[in-house]
Amino acid sequence: MTAILKATGLRKLYPVGKMFTKGLLHAVDGVDLTVAAGECIGLVGESGCGKSTLARLVARLIPATDGAITFRGNDIGSQSLRRFAAGPERARIQVVFQDPHESLNPGFTALRIVADHIRTLMPQLDHGQIMARAEAAFADVGLPPALSRRYPHQLSGGQKARVGIARAIAVDPELLILDEPTSALDVSVQAVILKLLGELRAKRGMSYIFVSHDLDVIRLICDRVAVMYLGRIIETGTTAQIFDTPAHPYTRALIDGSPDPARRGMSVQRLEGSASSPVNPDPARCNFMGRCPMSAPLCAERAPALKETRAGHLAACHFASPETAMQKAE
Ligand SMILES: Nc1ncnc2c1ncn2[C@@H]1O[C@H](COP(=O)(O)OP(=O)(O)O)[C@@H](O)[C@H]1O
Ligand SMILES: [Mg+2]
């Protein structure tokens, strides 16, 4: 499999507080992420764990504090944001944002929202080509032409989500980064949009980075999953590895706590307490320690690195092993 995107050592630190409370918030804290051509990788974790920040770093919408990003072998991570925005890779990596209502210009009609994006990213096209491309994207996401002259406030939630997707795919991206694309929608609409996203990926051969706090959604559409906790990936593997034999106690707690009715009653662990602060984390200890049912003195002495428990399945826990994963499966 060819990697189209490769990020290594990505870090995003925000200075917070003042005077004696000054500190650094570790929003993304040393993440490696590889996306293969055509694959859908899910980023999952509780609110505030750094999913959106990681998505924005990879899309080059915000600058990283540290780390490298290559896209199809080209170093895009060391370009300035401005240079990246003007370069050819901008159209190849597109983002669908969480709240379509906030991300669509309220003063533009639906078709103009799509057409304007094409005009900005494909300046070589003439007006006729831009409109033809916008109309084709509209059709691809199942929006009837009659809706093209409507403004965002005249559209339903599902229709707005489709406009956001049409805008992103209209410039032929290879990688689509979807940040909770359905979390603002009703469950029934959510299912329809997820189906559409699955069809578009199959038809166009795009890769997805799919961000969601909803495990059931991730399980449904992703090939591979990365579980985040306090700015780090603490477990990653194929969707089957993560859901059938989770190796990290945090992942197990997330799965046990998910409202999937088939899993009710299986619950052996619950996630107690809240995450420790992302400000000035102690690099010498495991940052899941305070909530972990397995914590031991070792966890306060050494932060666990992400290590392979078996082929393609990595977890950052001193006590993660294929054995612990197997026990869960029994
Ligand atoms: N611009 C910012 N300034 C300071 N802190 C930020 C900023 N953006 C995000 N954060 C913090 O970074 C952490 C990760 O946020 P985010 O990436 O939005 O998480 P998620 O998408 O998983 O909910 C949170 O603690 C959040 O408060
Ligand atoms: Mg988010």
Side-chain angles (χ1 to χ4, degrees):
M1 282 245 252
T2 25
I4 65 164
L5 181 107
K6 201 170 159 77
T8 41
L10 273 189
R11 196 163 261 125
K12 181 67 179 177
L13 308 182
Y14 288 110
V16 290
K18 42 186 159 205
M19 300 290 284
F20 300 113
T21 61
K22 241 187 183 158
L24 282 175
L25 187 150
H26 292 230
V28 169
D29 201 9
V31 162
D32 296 342
L33 187 72
T34 303
V35 184
E39 96 171 323
C40 176
I41 173 151
L43 287 184
V44 69
E46 290 164 296
S47 174
C49 70
K51 304 180 297 294
S52 294
T53 305
L54 178 57
R56 285 179 155 75
L57 287 173
V58 168
R60 300 290 284 130
L61 296 175
I62 56 171
T65 308
D66 225 333
I69 311 171
T70 58
F71 184 75
R72 291 217 169 276
N74 297 325
D75 174 6
I76 59 167
S78 55
Q79 294 175 6
S80 69
L81 294 190
R82 184 191 291 247
R83 191 165 146 230
F84 175 77
E89 273 94 15
R90 169 74 289 165
R92 304 279 82 83
I93 305 174
Q94 287 290 295
V95 185
V96 175
F97 295 97
Q98 172 162 11
D99 189 338
H101 195 69
E102 265 178 26
S103 66
L104 303 179
N105 186 333
F108 282 8
T109 63
L111 192 65
R112 173 140 183 235
I113 287 169
V114 179
D116 251 49
H117 192 63
I118 302 169
R119 187 169 294 118
T120 306
L121 296 190
M122 300 180 136
Q124 73 280 11
L125 301 186
D126 65 29
H127 181 71
Q129 290 169 319
I130 290 168
M131 295 319 286
R133 192 172 258 277
E135 283 159 13
F138 233 65
D140 276 356
V141 299
L143 282 170
L147 295 184
S148 64
R149 284 192 300 276
R150 293 221 186 143
Y151 290 88
H153 75 272
Q154 298 171 315
L155 298 170
S156 71
Q159 288 164 344
K160 278 184 286 200
R162 286 177 202 262
V163 175
I165 297 166
R167 172 175 60 185
I169 63 164
V171 294
D172 290 342
E174 291 174 72
L175 173 61
L176 206 55
I177 299 176
L178 300 126
D179 190 356
E180 311 247 15
T182 60
S183 59
L185 304 173
D186 294 341
V187 177
S188 59
V189 183
Q190 184 173 334
V192 177
I193 298 295
L194 288 175
K195 183 160 174 278
L196 169 70
L197 287 169
E199 287 162 3
L200 286 171
R201 182 161 77 99
K203 192 168 141 195
R204 292 171 164 250
M206 291 180 283
S207 303
Y208 286 177
I209 295 177
F210 194 98
V211 175
S212 180
H213 65 275
D214 186 333
L215 284 163
D216 296 332
V217 168
I218 292 277
R219 184 174 206 172
L220 197 66
I221 79 158
C222 297
D223 305 313
R224 221 150 47 83
V225 180
V227 183
M228 289 186 75
Y229 190 77
L230 283 174
R232 306 212 177 124
I233 292 178
I234 54 95
E235 181 162 5
T236 180
T238 65
T239 302
Q241 285 169 339
I242 296 294
F243 283 93
D244 298 343
T245 56
H248 194 289
Y250 175 66
T251 310
R252 289 203 284 269
L254 267 189
I255 293 172
D256 287 346
S258 112
D260 178 354
R263 290 182 166 262
R264 219 170 275 152
M266 275 174 63
S267 183
V268 285
Q269 305 167 6
R270 208 168 294 124
L271 210 48
E272 307 279 353
S274 51
S276 55
S277 168
V279 180
N280 299 339
D282 183 348
R285 52 186 277 158
C286 173
N287 62 16
F288 185 55
M289 205 187 141
R291 295 170 96 183
C292 183
M294 293 165 76
S295 63
L298 173 63
C299 311
E301 288 158 20
R302 200 147 49 80
L306 203 53
K307 61 176 190 292
E308 197 152 61
T309 64
R310 61 192 154 148
H313 189 179
L314 288 78
C317 173
H318 293 304
F319 304 105
S321 67
E323 285 76 41
T324 55
M326 292 315 288
Q327 281 164 17
K328 171 76 189 177
E330 281 159 12

